[in-house]
Amino acid sequence: MATLTTPAPSPAKGRRFNGLPFIGPSVTVLLIWMIVPLVMTVWFSLQRYNLLDPTVTGFAGIDNYEFLVTDPDFWASLTNTLLLVGSVLVITVVGGTLLAVLFDQPFPGRNLARLFAIAPFFVMPTVAALIWKNLMMHPIYGVFGAVARALGLPAVDWFADYPLLSVILIVSWEWLPFALLILLTAVQSLDREQLEAARMDGAGALAQFVYIVLPHLSRAISVVVMIETIFLLTVFAEIYVTTAGGPGNATTNLAFLIYARALLQYDVGGASAGGVVAIILANIVAFFLVRTIARRLEV
Amino acid sequence: MVKQSLPKRVGIAVLGWGAAFVLFFPLLWMLLTSLKSEPEAVNPSLTFTPTLQSYGEVLARADYLSFALNSVLISVGGTVLALALAIPAAYVMAFHPTKRTRSTLLWMLSTKMLPSVGVLVPIYLVFRTLGLLDTRLGLILVYTLMNLPIVVWMLFTFFKEVPHDILEAGRMDGARTGAEVWHLLLPLTLPGVASTGLLSLILCWNEAFWSLNLTSSAAAPLTAFIASFSSPQGLFFAKLSAASTVAVAPILVFGWLSQRQLVRGLTFGAVK
């Protein structure tokens, strides 16, 4: 886990207070939740262990890892994971910023429009995946296909022709409203007089946006990036429901690869090696993110 | 504010409503499809005779109700347990901070960075050994631990805003710590605690990774039920839409009601 060294606030004044009975339970269960699976994952990753075949036993050394890194599926899943996280982050942060500025402008029914716009964030991933797969992107029954045919264009079979892009679109749809929600709140706290002053000085809309709005949003953007990254690294349900990692390995991300190894092929050793890689990857990201955030937080 | 010209105001309204429409469209379409009959549902058309038939069929399936019941029990259970663990912890960190408080908070958050896929195998095996696979208790435990860091953070953020003097006064009057939290702190921070609970409910309700991997039938919540529609024999568009609408509607309303507080909590008060 990312360790942090940050200046501590001064202890409460007055009499000593024994906080252990209060904070102890939370810390204990979280420690167990963190350490037990972590140790087990590392241990299993060094074992030959198949749930179906009890004859496969013994210390494997780094065989599982060797097998993992020589498996083209692994590299594809790593690439897919990074592509997915990266693309969705770019789409949601850029789109969310623009939408936040838009929804900050007064227009009739603005509050209602906002509610509609943030709705997808509250939709469960399995539902999101299913309505996109069947009602939107289905080449015969879907809305996109119908619109394409109405325009005289051939309908696109999204999940066959652009599988990863399709997943990226669905996940972006789920997370764009989240970015909007957070960034809109940040935009609203902007000092209006500062904008007014800039306008008086002759700053155009673009200059105001770049020099005043964007810097003001930087903290909110970093929060969005951090929270989204935590969730996007392990996107699972959307892939499970729509493509099951396919076609081939086109939409297999690290999460789905581990799931397939463990619960479809019962290869605990191999899946655990993948798990260790996932943990390392998440921590590399977390290390930088939490440090950035910690600097911006007032605890 | 400088008054904007009329064409510009119209343009903003059109853009705003256009964006809202595009984002909401899949949900709108889901709602419309759920009101169609099954033969009409496969045809992406706007003309149809509304019917509640699909809702009737979905609700008539006995297992639908058991999935829904699982969702409710597991989400509420996970939320209550997380709050019970987190309230005392957040109280101590907000009102009796020590040198370690800051790093404890950040450590808690960092446990969220442990990707669930990375620990799926051990949890699966531990659960199998303990007989927790496909049980409500198993999912409640997982959801509690999954949300605990965020719940602690949110409560901490809300508690931090309560002036120390108020609790100090209660303490002078001889209130013990338990009473201080229960009779003073919680009533004062009720909106914050409520929105923390709501966020936890939303996250539990929508959680799909653990529910798909740790349950099969007995304890499976709505996320798993909906996922079962992805199999070819389950592909009934109207029924799928009706089931999805019923699964999404309650949590959507919760989300809308608590959106303001959610932002504050989700960003740990960093975004005002």
Side-chain angles (χ1 to χ4, degrees), chain A residues 68-266:
Chain A
L68 190 71
V69 295
T70 52
D71 182 356
D73 281 357
F74 167 72
W75 294 104
S77 75
L78 205 57
T79 314
N80 288 339
T81 306
L82 297 176
L83 273 176
L84 181 67
V85 176
S87 318
V88 176
L89 278 179
V90 170
I91 294 172
T92 55
V93 169
V94 173
T97 307
L98 296 178
L99 284 180
V101 172
L102 176 63
F103 280 105
D104 185 49
Q105 313 290 321
F107 62 85
R110 180 179 61 172
N111 289 342
L112 196 61
R114 272 183 201 161
L115 287 185
F116 283 128
I118 60 166
F121 177 56
F122 303 113
V123 172
M124 55 179 73
T126 46
V127 166
L130 277 178
I131 54 182
W132 275 89
K133 180 189 179 189
N134 296 315
L135 304 182
M136 296 289 121
M137 290 173 165
H138 195 289
I140 301 164
Y141 310 126
V143 172
F144 287 5
V147 170
R149 277 193 299 277
L151 296 174
L153 300 167
V156 177
D157 188 354
W158 284 84
F159 288 103
D161 296 340
Y162 309 103
L164 189 60
L165 178 66
S166 307
V167 173
I168 289 173
L169 278 180
I170 298 176
V171 178
S172 300
W173 176 75
E174 290 179 274
W175 285 95
L176 181 57
F178 169 75
L180 164 63
L181 187 65
I182 305 287
L183 295 172
L184 179 60
T185 310
V187 170
Q188 285 169 337
S189 68
L190 190 64
D191 185 0
R192 301 290 142 174
E193 284 174 14
Q194 204 184 346
L195 271 185
E196 206 61 47
R199 210 187 334 247
M200 297 293 182
D201 291 344
L206 189 66
Q208 288 173 36
F209 178 75
V210 171
Y211 294 110
I212 299 178
V213 178
L214 269 189
H216 175 76
L217 287 182
S218 67
R219 183 203 284 251
I221 288 175
S222 57
V223 170
V224 169
V225 168
M226 180 185 78
I227 295 182
E228 282 193 19
T229 307
I230 295 175
F231 285 92
L232 293 178
L233 275 173
T234 57
V235 162
F236 175 76
E238 293 85 345
I239 294 171
Y240 174 89
V241 169
T242 54
T243 63
N249 56 19
T251 55
T252 299
N253 66 352
L254 213 44
F256 200 84
L257 181 82
I258 296 165
Y259 160 81
R261 285 281 182 284
L263 296 185
L264 301 181
Q265 299 166 11
Y266 302 103

